[in-house]
Amino acid sequence: MNSADLADLVGTDTIAVVIASGLILVWGLALGVWKYHGIRTSPEHTAHVYVDIAHRAALMYSFATLVLAALVELSAFGPVVNLVAAAVPIVFFVAAIAAYCIHGALRDTTNQFEKPMPGTYLFMLALIVGEIGGVLVLLAGVAVRLT
């Protein structure tokens, strides 16, 4: 099967989201190596809490992104609407994983909300609206297709 055959089966918007899911999954697996290194080498035999969180979040977000791909494929909306609706949560997924990685590498906190950076709460509000909003747009597209 070549790429033209795949594009005949699913939309290019779906393909893009599936690729994003795969990349996040690979990132999560690589974070598992970092987590294992922390477990193996630390005196407490534990990885830093944010390395652990980054690993778990990346794995969960990779599968959440795969659900977004299914919603994109089933949506009645056009590829641009679907891709933007899926991209918003994916960008926030990636930003969250990156933030966890930074805290894990710096070992600067065990609770990023204990002493939040300026803009943290605004970012969290945007994350909430963006993630939920993107999924709701895609669900609306599926509902339109079903009616």
Side-chain angles (χ1 to χ4, degrees), residues 30-111:
L31 288 169
V33 175
W34 186 13
K35 179 179 173 178
Y36 168 71
H37 174 75
I39 292 168
R40 189 169 171 268
T41 59
S42 78
E44 302 83 25
H45 300 290
T46 60
H48 186 272
V49 65
Y50 272 102
V51 173
D52 184 46
I53 290 170
H55 172 243
R56 292 174 192 221
L59 295 176
M60 288 189 294
Y61 285 146
S62 72
F63 285 92
T65 303
L66 199 54
V67 170
L68 292 175
L71 293 173
V72 163
E73 185 58 26
L74 297 172
S75 173
F77 298 150
V80 173
V81 171
N82 290 334
L83 201 51
V84 170
V88 171
I90 293 168
V91 165
F92 281 111
F93 294 167
V94 168
I97 298 164
Y100 304 149
C101 288
I102 290 167
H103 288 303
L106 295 176
R107 300 176 154 278
D108 61 346
T109 187
T110 57
N111 183 338

Side-chain angles (χ1 to χ4, degrees), residues 6 12-25 65-66 69:
L6 184 58
T12 54
D13 48 355
T14 303
I15 293 168
V17 177
V18 168
I19 289 169
S21 175
L23 292 171
I24 296 169
L25 178 60
T65 303
L66 199 54

